[in-house]
Amino acid sequence: MQSRIILLGHGSRIPEANEHLRRLALQVGELLGGLPVDACYMMRARPDLAEGVARAVEEGAKRIVVVPMFFCNGLHVQRDIPEQIEKLRATYPQVEFIYAANLGADRRIAEVIVERIQEVAPGEFFARP
């Protein structure tokens, strides 16, 4: 089955801000052995989720995994994205849609935050086991 991953971010009016998600999508694709990974946006940037799904289906996707790129489990994660996915299921009944968990409070993210702190304040803060 041909699978496709969509990283779904918020979107920004600042084009450079949206570029981060596109770069992250490329990195995730590399880690997954070249699997297609697309960046889509809730608002203020394109493609939106419907456009990204349409392109993926046009290119033969039969399974689409949507990963919400949000730390908090807010309205986009709990309501807006699931509603959009339900509409897309009706539009593309031949496609399996999988909705992944949001990023949340994951220890691996905390480790990256600690690395960023240590980059700007080396020696001042120490990671604890």
Side-chain angles (χ1 to χ4, degrees):
M1 177 176 291
Q2 186 173 359
S3 295
R4 190 75 160 247
I5 310 295
I6 292 179
L7 303 185
L8 183 59
H10 189 274
S12 173
R13 290 184 189 101
I14 302 169
E16 306 85 56
N18 298 318
E19 184 59 31
H20 286 265
L21 186 59
R22 286 189 281 275
R23 285 198 311 246
L24 192 57
L26 289 172
Q27 293 169 357
V28 170
E30 289 172 6
L31 290 170
L32 293 174
L35 187 71
V37 178
D38 300 311
C40 292
Y41 306 91
M42 292 292 298
M43 56 186 60
R44 299 188 180 106
R46 296 203 105 104
D48 63 17
L49 182 58
E51 293 166 335
V53 166
R55 186 175 82 203
V57 171
E58 183 178 294
E59 293 175 1
K62 300 294 182 200
R63 174 186 295 140
I64 298 174
V65 178
V66 178
V67 182
M69 301 299 292
F70 295 86
F71 290 110
C72 299
N73 192 20
L75 285 177
H76 284 324
V77 172
Q78 290 185 36
R79 184 191 68 201
D80 300 338
I81 300 169
E83 286 176 359
Q84 287 184 29
I85 291 173
E86 283 308 309
K87 289 177 185 173
L88 291 164
R89 280 187 176 119
T91 303
Y92 303 102
Q94 76 281 15
V95 176
E96 177 186 6
F97 287 90
I98 300 170
Y99 185 40
N102 64 304
L103 298 175
D106 189 298
R107 179 159 179 92
R108 293 165 292 183
I109 295 169
E111 290 168 358
V112 172
I113 293 168
V114 168
E115 286 178 19
R116 294 293 183 259
I117 293 167
Q118 290 173 339
E119 288 170 1
V120 296
E124 187 171 341
F125 301 98
F126 299 95
R128 308 222 190 310

